[in-house]
Amino acid sequence: MGDILADESELLGLVKEYLDFAEFEDTLKTFSKECKTKGKPLSKSACGSLRDSKSSIIQKDLLAAFDSGDQKVFFDLWEGHIPSSIRAGDSLAQKLEFYLHIHFAIYLLKHSTGRPDKEELDERISYFKTYLETKGAALSQTTEFLPFYALPFVPNPMVHPSFKELFQDPWTPELKLKLEKFLALIFKASNTPKLLTLYKENGQSNKEVLQQLHQQLVEAERRSMTYLKRYNKIQADYHNLIGVTAELVDSLEATVSGKMITPEYLQSVCVRLFSNQMRQSLARSVDFTRPGTASTMLRASLAPVKLKDVPLLPSLDYEKLKKDLILGSDRLKAFLLQALRWRLTTSHPGEQRETVLQAYISNDLLDCHSHSQRNVLQLLHSKSEVVRQYTARLVNAFASLAEGRRYLAQSTTVLRMLEERLKEEDKDVITRENVLGALQKFSLRLFHPRRPLQTAMIQDGLIFWLIDVLQEPDCLSDYTLEYSVALLMNLCLRSTGKNMCAKVAGLVLKVLSDLLGHENHEIQPYVNGALYSILSIPSIREEARAMGMEDILCCFIKEGNAEMIRQIEFIIKQLNSEELLDGVLESDDDEDEDDEVSWRLLTPHRKLGPTILSLFLALES
């Protein structure tokens, strides 16, 4: 009770202090009277009077040091009690400080009887020279001050015409008067009521935070553009490589029939394989009639670069880390999750990154093996959106690495939590993107041949969720769209996945046919792959024929590139197939393997797009 009364008394004192400062005399009288009537104690605002007393002492000390020429004491007080923001940003303060340095530099010349002490004079001149080269350099472009930059180099400034004014009697008193007015103004501002000071500091703090966040956003956008350019370059090189590979396969088939490959054709193919910088020299220097010449240059261009030795990162206290992740504040959790992700994603590929990942796994950082109700993975369901997002980012970073996927896939607990988070996020936010990215990586064939995670996703109805989301692709980010379609295709390659699609065949076919014409061309191979796979089911084929799927596909043949046309021709062939399957398909690994191999032959870069994209997004700093 005593603490409450003391706080109340201090608060009322702050109000009284502000009313007094703002000269609300009538209001102050009424306020004081009412406080007295209600028995509310008013603090005596000792802090205000204390500040006034302290300010007065500082002003006197500064003026005394000015008069006595004590340069060190003056500038210690000046830098200690005049806010740096004023000294650096106020033109009046900068000019006054410049003249004050001149005052102390020539003090001995003006006040010494006889010859001044040479050592002390040299020390003062040297101090002034240092000031001119550092803080005073900002005024070097000002005409008023330009002559004074020669002062340290003039042997006898007292007789120099440029500095004549400095040694006249009125100069020092006028400078002191300016100093007194400046100090009075500054310390009056510093004696503002504590209530007003608290308000200003809070507003300034918010402004600084906003500026910092804006700067971080600009930097993030810059990095995003850099990664996007790199990704587009890799993608273009990849497509070029696939095109060259297809042509070489055609050429090999032609040689079987007895057709010869000309040196000119071989030269055109090899030129496409080399970088732009090498193409001119390649065309001039390589003799394509000699066997092995082109292949030797190609291998040389791809010679591995010897990597520098990379030191291992220091170890962490994982017990304390996990305790803080579970019991700490949301702010602390977010910072720790971000730092842990950056430690993994910014580490150098190879031994350093493997060591970081193995340390995370061996210490069960995400509590994948924990049966406690409170564990790190539960942060996916945190009330804080930032904590949920950073947890999803960290899980996605784990899933981007093969060992990380194996760690997360040891039980279906992680999968179930990710599925819950995916379905609970009702907006296409970063959290949902990262959860979706992790699930898509789980759908890869990197685990047990029976692929239990794929099976669990299918049984949990994830295909229905994906179809529902993909009905409005224009409302999705590129990341969500690409990963949703890629995940759908991977699940549709399983016979259980096809059976799920057969339950809503009409809706699935409509969604996929709509996606064929989407402006995002990155999703086309995955849409085609999903169609090719589900059309192996007779009931889905019948539904597709009834809705005129072949006519829809033929429209895209007219508009597509060679690779797209080839894929659609395979889909039409599958659509017109009369193959019958006895009863309902069972989940058979051999049959699923056949589907995957078939589609790999049809489109060599199946699922590579999101895989490459995931590395850039998940490993983004």
Side-chain angles (χ1 to χ4, degrees):
M1 188 66 181
D3 292 339
I4 296 174
L5 290 173
D7 292 340
E8 186 180 37
S9 174
E10 185 177 356
L11 182 59
L12 293 172
L14 293 177
V15 175
K16 179 185 176 184
E17 181 189 23
Y18 176 76
L19 293 174
D20 187 25
F21 171 81
E23 298 181 353
F24 288 102
E25 296 177 3
D26 294 338
T27 307
L28 179 59
K29 289 178 182 177
T30 305
F31 178 73
S32 302
K33 183 179 179 181
E34 190 168 355
C35 287
K36 187 176 181 180
T37 303
K38 293 186 175 182
K40 301 289 185 182
L42 276 172
S43 66
K44 298 297 183 181
S45 188
C47 57
S49 60
L50 185 62
R51 284 200 305 270
D52 292 341
S53 175
K54 186 177 180 182
S55 299
S56 178
I57 293 171
I58 294 169
Q59 291 182 67
K60 288 179 181 178
D61 290 345
L62 279 165
L63 293 172
F66 178 89
D67 290 334
S68 64
D70 196 334
Q71 180 175 259
K72 185 177 185 311
V73 171
F74 182 90
F75 284 111
D76 284 346
L77 289 169
W78 178 266
E79 293 177 3
H81 298 284
I82 306 299
S84 59
S85 58
I86 293 176
R87 286 188 282 115
D90 185 83
S91 59
L92 178 64
Q94 288 178 326
K95 291 180 180 181
L96 179 61
E97 185 173 357
F98 194 97
Y99 282 120
L100 287 169
H101 275 279
I102 293 175
H103 165 74
F104 287 106
I106 64 174
Y107 184 85
L108 291 181
L109 294 173
K110 294 185 70 172
H111 296 86
S112 295
T113 54
R115 293 177 63 86
D117 183 88
K118 186 177 185 305
E119 185 177 346
E120 187 178 353
L121 179 61
D122 289 344
E123 184 181 342
R124 287 174 178 266
I125 295 297
S126 176
Y127 188 86
F128 179 56
K129 184 180 177 183
T130 302
Y131 166 76
L132 293 177
E133 294 171 350
T134 53
K135 296 178 183 178
L139 296 173
S140 62
Q141 304 302 318
T142 307
T143 307
E144 179 184 351
F145 298 102
L146 192 58
F148 298 116
Y149 284 83
L151 178 62
F153 306 99
V154 176
N156 190 0
M158 297 179 70
V159 298
H160 196 284
S162 298
F163 310 124
K164 183 179 178 182
E165 182 186 357
L166 302 177
F167 296 94
Q168 293 179 355
D169 292 338
W171 189 81
T172 301
E174 288 175 2
L175 178 61
K176 183 177 179 181
L177 183 61
K178 290 179 182 178
L179 176 61
E180 288 173 343
K181 289 180 179 180
F182 177 79
L183 293 176
L185 184 65
I186 290 297
F187 286 108
K188 181 181 178 183
S190 66
N191 288 333
T192 53
K194 188 175 181 181
L195 192 63
L196 187 58
T197 303
L198 290 172
Y199 173 77
K200 287 181 177 179
E201 288 177 352
N202 185 52
Q204 181 66 24
S205 176
N206 290 338
K207 185 178 179 181
E208 290 174 357
V209 170
L210 286 174
Q211 289 176 343
Q212 186 179 5
L213 289 173
H214 177 70
Q215 186 176 356
Q216 291 176 356
L217 178 62
V218 171
E219 182 64 21
E221 289 175 349
R222 185 191 65 78
R223 287 201 309 267
S224 176
M225 290 302 298
T226 302
Y227 293 140
L228 184 61
K229 289 177 182 177
R230 291 179 186 174
Y231 165 67
N232 289 335
K233 174 68 169 59
I234 291 173
Q235 187 182 54
D237 290 344
Y238 175 75
H239 286 165
N240 179 48
L241 182 60
I242 292 299
V244 170
T245 304
E247 287 187 24
L248 291 176
V249 171
D250 291 340
S251 301
L252 287 173
E253 290 176 352
T255 57
V256 175
S257 305
K259 296 180 181 179
M260 296 294 293
I261 298 177
T262 64
E264 291 76 18
Y265 171 76
L266 184 59
Q267 181 177 7
S268 69
V269 170
C270 289
V271 165
R272 289 166 61 190
L273 286 172
F274 286 95
S275 64
N276 292 330
Q277 293 85 348
M278 296 183 65
R279 287 179 184 174
Q280 284 187 329
S281 61
L282 182 71
R284 291 195 304 266
S285 62
V286 178
D287 181 4
F288 288 93
T289 61
R290 293 174 56 195
T293 308
S295 62
T296 301
M297 285 198 67
L298 183 60
R299 290 188 181 95
S301 71
L302 300 175
V305 179
K306 186 176 181 181
L307 298 175
K308 297 180 180 178
D309 291 334
V310 179
L312 299 181
L313 297 175
S315 58
L316 304 175
D317 185 346
Y318 288 94
E319 287 300 320
K320 187 177 187 308
L321 264 175
K322 290 200 282 186
K323 182 178 179 182
D324 288 341
L325 283 171
I326 294 171
L327 303 176
S329 65
D330 287 340
R331 179 182 174 83
L332 176 61
K333 291 174 185 177
F335 281 140
L336 288 176
L337 289 166
Q338 183 185 56
L340 288 166
R341 186 178 89 254
W342 283 354
R343 182 180 173 89
L344 178 62
T345 58
T346 61
S347 59
H348 291 273
E351 185 180 2
Q352 191 184 66
R353 179 168 294 167
E354 289 171 6
T355 304
V356 172
L357 183 60
Q358 285 302 322
Y360 284 2
I361 294 172
S362 60
N363 288 280
D364 193 17
L365 178 63
L366 297 180
D367 284 336
C368 290
H369 304 299
S370 173
H371 299 291
S372 173
Q373 290 186 345
R374 300 189 68 181
N375 57 50
V376 176
L377 276 175
Q378 292 294 333
L379 296 178
L380 281 169
H381 300 300
S382 170
K383 293 180 181 179
S384 168
E385 183 179 343
V386 176
V387 173
R388 294 200 305 270
Q389 179 195 132
Y390 281 25
T391 307
R393 283 175 178 267
L394 181 58
V395 172
N396 194 14
F398 266 86
S400 299
L401 303 169
E403 284 300 320
R405 285 192 289 271
R406 292 190 183 94
Y407 165 64
L408 296 171
Q410 291 177 9
S411 72
T412 57
T413 304
V414 178
L415 176 66
R416 304 285 188 230
M417 295 187 72
L418 290 173
E419 288 178 339
E420 289 174 15
R421 183 74 269 145
L422 184 70
K423 294 171 183 178
E424 288 174 8
E425 292 289 348
D426 55 347
K427 296 179 182 178
D428 189 18
V429 294
I430 297 175
T431 303
R432 192 170 80 170
E433 286 182 354
N434 280 272
V435 169
L436 184 61
L439 289 172
Q440 192 273 338
K441 292 157 195 168
F442 285 167
S443 70
L444 304 178
R445 294 187 67 257
L446 296 175
F447 311 120
H448 191 276
R450 304 266 323 162
R451 287 154 285 176
L453 293 185
Q454 284 186 348
T455 302
M457 287 187 227
I458 294 168
Q459 291 175 348
D460 293 343
L462 197 55
I463 287 179
F464 300 141
W465 184 90
L466 291 168
I467 292 296
D468 184 58
V469 167
L470 291 171
Q471 288 186 71
E472 297 182 3
D474 293 335
C475 299
L476 306 176
S477 66
D478 287 341
Y479 187 103
T480 300
L481 179 61
E482 291 172 20
Y483 274 84
S484 295
V485 179
L487 176 56
L488 178 63
M489 185 195 76
N490 286 347
L491 298 182
C492 286
L493 291 172
R494 298 294 304 276
S495 51
T496 50
K498 299 171 196 174
N499 287 331
M500 283 290 181
C501 289
K503 296 178 181 179
V504 286
L507 180 59
V508 174
L509 290 168
K510 181 183 182 303
V511 168
L512 291 176
S513 61
D514 289 344
L515 290 173
L516 282 171
H518 197 273
E519 61 183 9
N520 187 339
H521 298 297
E522 298 300 318
I523 67 173
Q524 288 180 351
Y526 320 122
V527 176
N528 293 343
L531 271 174
Y532 179 83
S533 181
I534 65 174
L535 286 175
S536 63
I537 304 291
S539 61
I540 298 181
R541 286 203 300 270
E542 290 300 322
E543 186 74 30
R545 290 168 187 163
M547 66 182 288
M549 178 63 74
E550 185 170 358
D551 293 337
I552 297 173
L553 293 170
C554 288
C555 292
F556 292 103
I557 285 183
K558 298 174 184 177
E559 302 174 2
N561 55 35
E563 185 179 333
M564 179 77 168
I565 292 171
R566 186 164 175 257
Q567 292 176 11
I568 290 178
E569 286 173 348
F570 270 84
I571 297 171
I572 293 174
K573 183 178 178 181
Q574 181 82 305
L575 175 65
N576 293 323
S577 169
E578 297 299 333
E579 180 184 355
L580 296 176
L581 300 176
D582 296 331
V584 180
L585 283 172
E586 297 296 331
S587 181
D588 182 82
D589 284 328
D590 292 335
E591 183 182 343
D592 296 337
E593 181 73 22
D594 290 343
D595 272 347
E596 292 205 31
V597 172
S598 297
W599 190 246
R600 267 189 182 153
L601 294 174
L602 174 58
T603 169
H605 67 288
R606 177 188 69 78
K607 240 228 38 56
L608 253 179
T611 302
I612 294 175
L613 185 62
S614 71
L615 293 177
F616 284 95
L617 294 176
L619 300 184
E620 185 179 348
S621 62

